[in-house]
Amino acid sequence: MIMVTGGAGYIGTHICVELLAAGHDVVVFDNFCNSQPEAVQRVEQISGRKLTLVTGDIRDPVALEAALRQHAVKAVIHCAGLKAVGESVEQPLAYYDNNVVGTLRLLEAMRAAGVNTLVFSSSATVYGEPQYLPLTEAHPLSATNPYGRSKLMIEDILRDLHRSDASWRIGILRYFNPVGAHISGKIGENPRGVPNNLLPFVAQVAVGLRSSLNVWGDDYETPDGTGVRDYIHVVDLADGHLKALAYLQKQGGLLTVNLGTGNGYSVLDMVKAFAEASGKPVPYQVMPRRAGDVAACYAEPSEALRLLGWRAERGLDAMCADAWRWQSGNPNGFASS
Ligand code: NAD
Ligand code: UFG
């Protein structure tokens, strides 16, 4: 039995689908602060299998330990957390509490229940301002906002924990920019309010929910002046978790890998690809730069290939086509059903 904290969220639901397809039993532990139970039902529809749902907060050690024991959990994939950079600047305590304290409580509950295998959702945000590209795992770590600092603190806690007790099996997966959706169109990203991230915003423009995209700056030192990122299909990302889990179960140790494609695409590349995939216009206007953005950020993904035998398989067309299938079929997210 594998526990997925935050398993009702965007990335968690896609991980659950892949786990169920690979024959694992799954327990989702989520407090639905940024998701809906409908998402879990959709996972079951796609999979043709049931999973176990525990509604709870990772900061509740009693509920966590009970769930770990009751369901005989062997490993935890830890996706639960808050993720909005801007919100983290306004509400730092909520971010440190949910992300850092929540992870501490989870680790304590795992230790109490005798579960020592953890895969953690980290982020390329821990590299701070890139000093070189592509980003290798050895790049210096830093953070520029409370969200990023919470991820860096958690990584440090995990490294200290492993140093103190090498029987822990810990995978730190540094995601680049997850986009796209399951090919069924039944699950996908469902942001509350105005999307911060590029692809959900573009998708809402294409479906007619918003009139046009603000492109945050076209004067960066990039080929077309707009920001460059390493967009990775969420199903490829999910698959990376299964590979990391298999690695940890076989080898143990502390694993730290980038999950990215190694390709950088600009904002305008994404707009063009999405317009082609959807057949809809994506009007945009260029605005001043967004505070805190870097010009370019993309991964050196070869460590994940070397250690896990994992590489991203899906290209930009699939990312956009799958995001569009989800968006056009569910214009109001899970509220559509
Ligand atoms: P999401 O908000 O869709 O999913 C997170 C899930 O965690 C939600 O279902 C939410 O209800 C749950 N949750 C939050 N706090 C909780 C708590 N205290 N107790 C129980 N459940 C709680 O986000 P996502 O995009 O699926 O991200 C998953 C993880 O990946 C996060 O840790 C995020 O920081 C990390 N990450 C995401 C991105 C991205 O761009 N989406 C990039 C890098 C890293
Ligand atoms: N962008 C726009 N208009 C928008 C939204 C985004 O032009 O409406 C541009 C941004 O300026 C950037 C690119 O699109 O150049 C990607 O922006 P996103 O917000 O989608 O992604 P970021 O790379 O800025 O942020 C992501 C994660 C964060 C994480 C950060 C650093 O969402 O959680 O990477 O790793 F902190």
Side-chain angles (χ1 to χ4, degrees):
M1 179 70 83
I2 311 295
M3 175 182 279
V4 183
T5 72
Y10 170 46
I11 295 168
T13 45
H14 290 86
I15 294 173
C16 289
V17 167
E18 297 308 311
L19 285 170
L20 289 167
H24 294 283
D25 293 319
V26 175
V27 53
V28 166
F29 191 98
D30 201 301
N31 69 356
F32 297 107
C33 70
N34 196 35
S35 54
Q36 286 152 283
E38 171 73 17
V40 177
Q41 291 165 19
R42 301 272 185 103
V43 169
E44 292 181 333
Q45 283 172 23
I46 292 169
S47 306
R49 288 189 60 198
K50 291 280 178 202
L51 52 69
T52 304
L53 173 61
V54 178
T55 303
D57 193 300
I58 54 166
R59 292 163 295 180
D60 177 349
V62 176
L64 264 176
E65 191 182 332
L68 290 168
R69 287 186 189 279
Q70 187 188 341
H71 302 293
V73 170
K74 294 279 175 279
V76 177
I77 298 180
H78 177 32
C79 301
L82 303 180
K83 62 165 183 177
V85 173
E87 187 182 67
S88 81
V89 175
E90 285 153 23
Q91 302 174 35
L93 300 185
Y95 273 70
Y96 292 124
D97 188 39
N98 245 282
N99 295 2
V100 182
V101 174
T103 302
L104 278 178
R105 293 288 101 84
L106 172 65
L107 293 168
E108 288 158 359
M110 287 174 68
R111 187 168 56 187
V115 182
N116 67 358
T117 305
L118 177 86
V119 175
F120 171 60
S121 300
S122 191
S123 165
T125 192
V126 300
Y127 295 123
E129 174 99 24
Q131 295 175 17
Y132 60 82
L133 290 167
L135 290 158
T136 63
E137 289 80 359
H139 185 283
L141 304 181
S142 69
T144 54
N145 56 68
Y147 167 71
R149 236 172 325 271
S150 76
K151 291 290 175 191
L152 197 44
M153 286 178 187
I154 295 165
E155 284 204 3
D156 282 331
I157 290 167
L158 294 174
R159 284 185 279 270
D160 284 342
L161 179 62
H162 189 263
R163 219 170 276 133
S164 76
D165 177 356
S167 70
W168 278 91
R169 297 162 179 253
I170 296 176
I172 294 174
L173 306 185
R174 295 181 179 150
Y175 309 164
F176 281 69
N177 289 54
V179 295
H182 188 264
I183 194 164
S184 65
K186 286 183 184 292
I187 54 173
E189 196 168 4
N190 184 29
R192 277 176 304 158
V194 183
N196 286 309
N197 294 119
L198 178 65
L199 246 269
F201 200 109
V202 168
Q204 292 192 3
V205 172
V207 85
L209 289 173
R210 300 186 188 278
S211 57
S212 70
L213 169 74
N214 291 322
V215 174
W216 304 126
D218 68 351
D219 56 353
Y220 287 105
E221 281 188 33
T222 59
D224 66 17
T226 66
V228 165
R229 297 291 184 275
D230 186 338
Y231 298 94
I232 174 170
H233 196 295
V234 65
V235 175
D236 282 330
L237 190 78
D239 180 45
H241 292 69
L242 272 71
K243 296 268 166 57
L245 203 57
Y247 173 95
L248 291 173
Q249 284 170 336
K250 185 152 170 253
Q251 318 259 335
L254 174 71
L255 167 78
T256 305
V257 290
N258 289 336
L259 294 183
T261 66
N263 302 314
Y265 291 106
S266 75
V267 175
L268 297 183
D269 290 335
M270 299 306 285
V271 167
K272 184 163 172 280
F274 204 91
E276 274 166 19
S278 65
K280 302 284 178 188
V282 179
Y284 64 86
Q285 59 273 332
V286 176
M287 302 294 281
R289 292 181 180 192
R290 182 171 71 176
D293 273 356
V294 300
C297 173
Y298 49 92
E300 169 54 66
S302 57
E303 191 72 348
L305 181 60
R306 186 176 72 81
L307 294 174
L308 309 180
W310 173 92
R311 68 147 63 98
E313 305 285 346
R314 294 164 180 80
L316 199 51
D317 294 348
M319 297 180 207
C320 293
D322 293 340
W324 176 243
R325 195 174 299 108
W326 155 251
Q327 180 68 64
S328 54
N330 307 266
N332 301 307
F334 292 108
S336 312
S337 59

